[in-house]
Amino acid sequence: MNKLKVFLTVITILIAVTPITVQVIRYHENPVDLILPPSISAILKGGPDDLVNADYVDFAGMAFPLPILTGEPVFTQDNNLLLTYNFTNPLDGKITIASMDAEIVCVDHEFALGDVFIEPATLEPHQTLDLTVTCHLTPETIEHIKAEHQGQDSIKTEFTNYSVDLTDIKINMPHRKLGIIHVPMTILTLNNLLFR
């Protein structure tokens, strides 16, 4: 009877320990991937380029749509660039976007053009909403555009170092970049930003 009890105890321990041991050996070089799904780990690390340019991001096993840039950028007299993004809440619950902060960067010269922010917004389940992203351009930005982009049709820009606070979920991605935005030079010229 004692032999059977010992045998069953050893079998029970092997059944519990073997899968864990195999996973620890498999992820011994990167233990973070043992805990986080690879898609989340890729996003936090800056991710592969296909995640950056995809229409969806796999977040916790769910395809989460990226906002879609709609319309033309608008420049205001106080040196703000307004971008409109169309975003659909994919969840069955309400999402509150408490804040979003980022930098807008000139891709060609890796020059920080200004700070980016969004006003708080709430989306009901599966609701689609246009969100206005405000990019505050610095005086140095105008000088950079005059010096480096005269005669061009547009400036290739992207968001980087962004942080999104969704209801009770805060996502910081200091090394992740979000898409490419071509800012038309004609709008800058029409608004006399370059020739004041």
Side-chain angles (χ1 to χ4, degrees), residues 170-191:
K170 185 160 188 173
I171 304 168
N172 288 308
M173 293 177 254
H175 302 295
R176 180 149 163 80
K177 296 176 180 176
L178 179 62
I180 301 291
I181 306 161
H182 291 276
V183 177
M185 289 293 290
T186 53
I187 295 174
L188 284 167
T189 305
L190 289 174
N191 285 282

Side-chain angles (χ1 to χ4, degrees), residues 29-85:
E29 292 180 9
N30 192 0
V32 173
D33 285 344
L34 179 63
I35 299 165
L36 294 176
S39 56
I40 300 292
S41 181
I43 290 170
L44 296 175
K45 291 177 188 170
D49 290 337
D50 62 337
L51 280 178
V52 174
N53 296 320
D55 292 333
Y56 292 88
V57 171
D58 183 7
F59 187 75
M62 180 181 152
F64 209 86
L66 291 174
I68 299 168
L69 182 64
T70 59
E72 289 290 320
V74 175
F75 285 92
T76 64
Q77 292 299 320
D78 54 352
N79 290 348
N80 285 333
L81 170 64
L82 305 178
L83 303 169
T84 303
Y85 283 88

